[in-house]
Amino acid sequence: MSNITKDLSLFNELVEILINEESKSPVAERIDASKLYDTIDLSLDHSPMIDEEFKSLLSTILVSTPKTATNLFFNQLFGGRQSKAVLGDLLAVLLNNSMYTYKVAGPQVGIEQEIIRKSCDLVGYGSQSNGTFPTGGSMSNYMALVMARDAKDPSSRLDGVTEPMVIYTSKESHYSNAKNASFVGIGRNNIRYIEADSYGRMIPEKLEQQIKEDIENGGIPTYVNATAGTTVLGAFDPVDKIADITEKYNIWLHIDGAYCGSVLFSEKYKHLLKGVERSNSFSYNAHKMLGTPLTCSIILVKDKRHLYNSFSNDADYLYQTDGDDFNLGKTSFQCGRRNDALKFWTLWKSIGTNGLKKIVEKQFDLANVALNYIKNNSDYTLYSFDDSISICFNYKDIDPTVLCTALYEHQITVVGFGSFKENTFVRLVTINANNEQQDILNFFNVLEEFVAKNPKLSRIKEKSM
């Protein structure tokens, strides 16, 4: 038996252990960080570990790792497990192609380009559009900002930033915007954080007011980042109204749809992206709403020339055959790049666009279950709104930071907390489309039972929205 056959057999055994453990214990037993190295042997030694001990150790690591695919995991902006996507990811690992040239990726290039082409069609970008697969939503935002900088001042690619560029984003936008402003040479002090309304959406009038002020002061408005699904409330910035402003002042408009941009697959919810075709770039993460394994991020550009202008660099030792359209390293940030497209393609191909639509709409259905439960129970205070899969609430007058931490430490359920304006609350994310109505109701049941058994949890004084 070859080593790979033997190890794949071991893999199958470990998968069975993990699936059984997830069924019996949906929340992993927590290991205190200070005791981690004393609890599990993670040391690297000169001598090899024998097979049975190795299997036992791997089993221990698997069952001790937080379980993100179970019906009691609501903590992150990802969750669940789409089996056909897992299949694609496993095949990508075995193939071990890098996606920079057709010479080493072959048909995988076509798979990536087909996903990008179909995605551009859904956005409404047209025949000159294209895209690539970055390493995550933060990198998508970074690439968009680089292209915006270069479009505004092409000389910046050679001479660096010499103009007083200014960029704009909502106060509720992703934290990567601050890092990216630093990375591209524009500087964190040249970000303008625009006020959000009571639903967490950027206020277009405030944006235009700030742009006018910056122009009067000699600034060069360069880039606006709109968000399709803010991290806390899951809010959608009003793209159409923002596009009116960016077109008026000739500013690059990027839509960060890392969290909820996948609503473009649903006719029922695509209205939340109204005006998306007017943007210069758009990104979404298939590892969030669509349930592919991490990471699977896509950035799309209305005019593919910007990808080439900002990221192409000749390398004779690398690009030796085929044309630029098949050598994807010409439009990506990285050189060596793992195949993140195959897992999305195996999912999409196996269930069709209609299947992806059902995955997206299932999450809103689950969110509505949670909303209705909260609205019909006076012990809860609701902070979120319709058309969001982030359900924000407080239970009785219990401090949400204390409650979420206690639920995690006692292996009851994994859920996080968030803040908006002056309020902090529990944030339940219904992004796992494998859940059913009873799983959402069970979450509230285990929460209430836990509180009943722990009456001394810290209290807060509620504030109104």
Side-chain angles (χ1 to χ4, degrees), residues 95-364:
L95 289 168
N96 200 34
N97 300 105
S98 189
M99 296 299 290
Y100 41 33
T101 68
Y102 186 77
K103 186 176 182 180
V104 297
Q108 304 300 322
V109 169
I111 283 173
E112 179 168 312
Q113 286 294 288
E114 177 65 5
I115 291 172
I116 289 168
R117 185 179 70 82
K118 287 288 190 180
S119 298
C120 286
D121 288 347
L122 288 168
V123 171
Y125 269 168
S127 61
Q128 294 304 306
S129 58
N130 208 315
T132 187
F133 278 63
T135 54
S138 295
M139 180 59 75
S140 295
N141 292 343
Y142 175 69
M143 292 184 72
L145 183 52
V146 169
M147 288 186 286
R149 179 200 66 186
D150 295 348
K152 181 63 70 173
D153 179 14
S155 67
S156 64
R157 288 180 292 150
L158 300 175
D159 302 326
V161 176
T162 58
E163 304 286 350
M165 294 182 177
V166 185
I167 66 177
Y168 307 84
T169 192
S170 162
K171 288 183 178 179
E172 300 304 310
S173 64
H174 194 254
Y175 75 97
S176 63
N177 287 289
K179 294 192 298 181
N180 293 339
S182 174
F183 296 161
V184 302
I186 290 175
R188 295 176 187 241
N189 290 339
N190 292 314
I191 303 178
R192 305 291 184 259
Y193 291 101
I194 308 303
E195 186 179 342
D197 64 16
S198 59
Y199 291 89
R201 304 170 301 195
M202 184 192 295
I203 301 174
E205 294 79 11
K206 296 287 186 180
L207 171 64
E208 184 166 21
Q209 179 183 334
Q210 183 63 61
I211 289 170
K212 288 179 177 178
E213 182 179 322
D214 287 321
I215 291 173
E216 289 176 4
N217 293 328
I220 300 177
T222 299
Y223 172 86
V224 172
N225 177 88
T227 307
T230 57
T231 306
V232 176
L233 291 179
F236 288 77
D237 288 339
V239 174
D240 240 1
K241 293 181 179 179
I242 293 172
D244 288 340
I245 297 168
T246 57
E247 289 170 2
K248 180 178 178 180
Y249 294 95
N250 189 29
I251 304 171
W252 185 285
L253 173 57
H254 172 64
I255 301 174
D256 173 10
Y259 179 15
C260 294
S262 297
V263 296
L264 65 90
F265 289 94
S266 166
E267 289 301 322
K268 184 176 181 179
Y269 291 102
K270 192 176 179 179
H271 68 90
L272 297 170
L273 289 172
K274 187 174 183 294
V276 62
E277 72 283 353
R278 301 171 66 188
S279 64
N280 298 95
S281 55
F282 171 84
S283 61
Y284 71 103
N285 286 357
H287 65 254
K288 291 185 176 173
M289 288 192 91
L290 299 177
T292 71
L294 289 155
T295 58
C296 191
S297 300
I298 299 121
I299 182 169
L300 310 172
V301 186
K302 181 183 289 186
D303 187 342
K304 63 185 178 182
R305 290 178 301 173
H306 294 293
L307 277 174
Y308 283 98
N309 290 343
S310 292
F311 301 107
S312 179
N313 205 69
D314 286 332
D316 291 339
Y317 60 84
L318 191 63
Y319 306 114
Q320 299 176 346
T321 62
D322 312 297
D324 283 353
D325 288 344
F326 290 90
N327 288 324
L328 303 183
K330 291 288 187 81
T331 53
S332 65
F333 180 79
Q334 312 99 281
C335 179
R337 179 165 64 88
R338 83 181 301 273
N339 182 359
D340 285 332
L342 182 56
K343 57 193 168 190
F344 188 17
W345 184 87
T346 53
L347 175 64
W348 196 337
K349 187 72 172 178
S350 65
I351 66 174
T353 306
N354 287 336
L356 298 180
K357 176 193 75 169
K358 290 177 182 177
I359 288 175
V360 169
E361 293 181 357
K362 177 71 171 296
Q363 293 161 46
F364 285 97

Side-chain angles (χ1 to χ4, degrees), residues 381-383 420-424 461-465:
T381 304
L382 181 65
Y383 293 92
F420 178 67
K421 298 188 184 294
E422 73 274 18
N423 294 296
T424 300
K461 183 178 180 181
E462 275 297 343
K463 301 173 184 178
S464 60
M465 283 287 270

